Amino acid sequence: PVAMLLGSILGACFYDSISHYYYAQFWGDIFVGSLIFIGTFMIAYRGGNPSESKIATFAGFCAFIVAAIPTSGRGCPLEEFSGRALADFQRLNQAEFVTVVPASTDNSHFELFANASTYHFIAAAILFAVLAYYSFFVFTRMKPDQYDDTQQPNIVKRNRNRIYIISGTLIVISITALGLNALIGFSFWNSYNLTFWFEALALWAFGFSWMVKGRWFFGLDLMDTEDRRDQVLS
């Protein structure tokens, strides 16, 4: 999301969704490359058990689908903007070799094939759902050394689990909002680029929970150290 916002600041259109940046010059390459990186990482990732690894691999292939099958529609509210389209070329005559067929009103030049956006949406929904699953059930899993003397989760694990659950809840809220808009089609939705912001919210929520899981925030560990010291002193 940050890279796409940077693209908008530097001249690209502020598209309705992160997925629509596929059609942005240069920034579309960053979008696709990032998804390929995420997909490759998910496939290479090995969790704590075989089922967890299979879920990650499935999510990785979903990321590939999101990258390879773009969403449809121009996604840019501007009448004139620089971007990329899936244009058709036709031979006119021997003098003029080809001409670009003007885009039709149904945005067919922003669609890879019929119903491509449906496959894109389903793959993206599954990918987000897997991220929520990890936040709710994988990151919150207990290990023997994470229990205190009363066989309850220690203070660090409790604090981390709160963050994981909040992150998972934000992802679910984002998925729900995006799904409702897909079904109902709110008139105000694109005026505020809400698809972009809900997608960004889900990605940032998972990214933060992943950083917590990766022990980026040592303050949580210090809290556990202080708690253990207080127990010893008491």
Side-chain angles (χ1 to χ4, degrees):
V2 174
M4 301 303 101
L5 284 174
L6 178 62
S8 297
I9 294 173
L10 296 178
C13 179
F14 190 0
Y15 287 88
D16 293 335
S17 70
I18 295 177
S19 295
H20 276 107
Y21 280 86
Y22 175 95
Y23 300 105
Q25 296 175 347
F26 177 73
W27 302 99
D29 299 326
I30 295 178
F31 166 74
V32 172
S34 299
L35 281 171
I36 295 299
F37 174 83
I38 292 172
T40 302
F41 175 82
M42 296 296 287
I43 292 174
Y45 174 75
R46 290 295 173 264
N49 54 65
S51 62
E52 184 179 318
S53 299
K54 291 178 181 178
I55 292 173
T57 299
F58 183 58
F61 282 111
C62 286
F64 288 165
I65 294 174
V66 174
I69 303 179
T71 188
S72 63
R74 64 200 310 244
C76 180
L78 302 177
E79 292 185 1
E80 297 181 2
F81 64 99
S82 297
R84 295 184 294 194
L86 304 171
D88 292 330
F89 296 87
Q90 293 182 354
R91 179 186 293 275
L92 286 180
N93 50 50
Q94 294 300 326
E96 298 182 31
F97 182 65
V98 294
T99 183
V100 179
V101 179
S104 59
T105 56
D106 62 355
N107 285 322
S108 62
H109 283 50
F110 293 93
E111 188 173 38
L112 187 62
F113 53 82
N115 299 317
S117 60
T118 301
Y119 297 107
H120 177 94
F121 184 85
I122 292 174
I126 293 174
L127 179 60
F128 281 131
V130 170
L131 299 185
Y133 170 82
Y134 266 74
S135 295
F136 279 127
F137 303 109
V138 177
F139 294 167
T140 57
R141 188 177 298 149
M142 296 292 299
K143 295 180 180 179
D145 61 343
Q146 294 176 329
Y147 291 96
D148 59 20
D149 295 336
T150 62
Q151 296 305 306
Q152 297 295 321
N154 60 41
I155 186 171
V156 169
K157 185 58 177 174
R158 291 198 301 271
N159 289 330
R160 292 184 188 278
N161 283 354
R162 291 190 188 101
I163 295 174
Y164 301 146
I165 292 173
I166 291 173
S167 298
T169 301
L170 292 176
I171 296 173
V172 170
I173 290 174
S174 299
I175 295 173
T176 303
L178 294 170
L180 287 175
N181 179 64
L183 293 174
I184 300 174
F186 299 113
S187 59
F188 60 86
W189 192 267
N190 289 336
S191 299
Y192 299 98
N193 302 88
L194 291 182
T195 297
F196 178 95
W197 291 116
F198 274 114
E199 289 174 340
L201 176 63
L203 292 173
W204 282 330
F206 179 76
F208 186 75
S209 65
W210 185 276
M211 292 170 69
V212 171
K213 178 67 174 176
R215 304 299 193 272
W216 281 54
F217 304 104
F218 295 105
L220 294 174
D221 296 319
L222 292 176
M223 291 176 63
D224 180 56
T225 302
E226 293 175 358
D227 183 62
R228 291 176 183 272
R229 183 189 60 189
D230 293 341
Q231 289 181 358
V232 171
L233 294 176
S234 62

